[in-house]
Amino acid sequence: DAGVIQSPRHEVTEMGQEVTLRCKPISGHNSLFWYRQTMMRGLELLIYFNNNVPIDDSGMPEDRFSAKMPNASFSTLKIQPSEPRDSAVYFCASSFFPGGGTDTQYFGPGTRLTVL
Amino acid sequence: AQKITQTQPGMFVQEKEAVTLDCTYDTSDQSYGLFWYKQPSSGEMIFLIYQGSYDEQNATEGRYSLNFQKARKSANLVISASQLGDSAMYFCAMREVFYNTDKLIFGTGTRLQVFP
């Protein structure tokens, strides 16, 4: 079975540019999560979708960040304009809720973003 | 608010020996889930094991077991017969579910080094 797919795996851009990160969740999963990992703040949730609807976006840092989930098999996280402090690894994860059990979140390989 | 504490920033273990990675949590919820993830140097987050708060038996998955002590609010990961490939960061996480959010709260991680 294909796991969570993210693209690109690495992105290097210059400050002020628009960055779009993409995610394809595991087929059949109805919850999708975007996390950000930095040395200073560890892993933190940015936004959570359930059945394609954004449920909790309280972790989105500011208006420069936006996320969409147009259908059950695709989501994007956009940063515009990007800033050096946005440099981090961005993970997408998916799960099935309610799973009657673990509702385990399975993570994609991550996108390592570097903003110069 | 829920909180996860991992007090060991780094651990060393010799190959074929067992090692315990500590995790304590704080929650007022009666129903919760605890997870362990492995993050090797390649960066992906790999789900290892899950323990539900109502599970009476400790979870086991192959060489991984979770020493769940509910009264002490601890959920330590035990890796038996360590292998060189076990060298990685290990994160303990708790699932936080409110009416408008569903997310994992992560600890700061423990870096495990397995030596020959």
Side-chain angles (χ1 to χ4, degrees):
Chain A
D1 288 342
V4 176
I5 299 172
Q6 290 186 249
S7 64
R9 293 293 306 277
H10 302 273
E11 178 80 28
V12 180
T13 190
E14 293 187 346
M15 183 174 62
Q17 296 297 306
E18 177 181 300
V19 175
T20 299
L21 310 182
R22 297 172 177 81
C23 175
K24 176 179 171 56
I26 293 172
S27 178
H29 282 185
N30 61 353
S31 292
L32 184 138
F33 309 81
W34 283 100
Y35 289 88
R36 179 172 66 176
Q37 185 179 31
T38 62
M39 289 295 293
M40 291 297 294
R41 300 175 65 92
L43 276 153
E44 51 184 347
L45 179 71
L46 299 178
I47 188 168
Y48 156 53
F49 291 88
N50 183 252
N51 293 323
N52 311 337
V53 176
I55 303 299
D56 177 12
D57 64 355
S58 60
M60 295 286 264
E62 48 198 272
D63 292 345
R64 297 185 298 106
F65 285 70
S66 63
K68 294 181 179 179
M69 192 165 185
N71 56 62
S73 58
F74 184 66
S75 177
T76 60
L77 178 68
K78 184 178 294 186
I79 308 172
Q80 182 187 20
S82 58
E83 296 182 3
R85 60 193 168 118
D86 301 330
S87 297
V89 179
Y90 291 81
F91 287 102
C92 177
S94 72
S95 70
F96 178 72
F97 177 82
T102 71
D103 297 341
T104 297
Q105 293 182 23
Y106 293 92
F107 283 71
T111 295
R112 182 174 295 277
L113 174 65
T114 303
V115 183
L116 303 174
Chain B
Q2 296 182 334
K3 184 178 178 181
I4 293 286
T5 303
Q6 295 181 253
T7 57
Q8 307 155 314
M11 290 284 286
F12 288 89
V13 65
Q14 190 167 30
E15 198 177 9
K16 300 180 184 177
E17 297 294 311
V19 63
T20 298
L21 307 184
D22 295 342
C23 173
T24 58
Y25 60 92
D26 186 22
T27 181
S28 56
D29 293 343
Q30 296 301 309
S31 177
Y32 51 88
L34 296 157
F35 301 79
W36 277 91
Y37 286 84
K38 172 185 178 181
Q39 187 175 40
S41 58
S42 52
E44 68 267 34
M45 294 287 288
I46 302 168
F47 165 70
L48 294 179
I49 196 167
Y50 163 83
Q51 181 81 43
S53 58
Y54 292 118
D55 294 341
E56 295 186 353
Q57 294 197 344
N58 289 339
T60 60
E61 288 287 348
R63 294 185 299 110
Y64 304 109
S65 61
L66 201 151
N67 185 0
F68 181 48
Q69 298 188 43
K70 195 170 182 177
R72 299 180 61 182
K73 293 188 175 180
S74 73
N76 299 338
L77 177 70
V78 180
I79 305 175
S80 62
S82 298
Q83 302 173 355
L84 295 178
D86 294 334
S87 295
M89 282 289 288
Y90 288 81
F91 291 94
C92 181
M94 170 181 283
R95 183 164 176 246
E96 179 180 74
V97 180
F98 293 143
Y99 72 97
N100 66 340
T101 192
D102 178 4
K103 63 183 176 184
L104 292 176
I105 308 296
F106 285 88
T108 52
T110 296
R111 182 171 297 281
L112 176 66
Q113 302 262 40
V114 181
F115 59 93

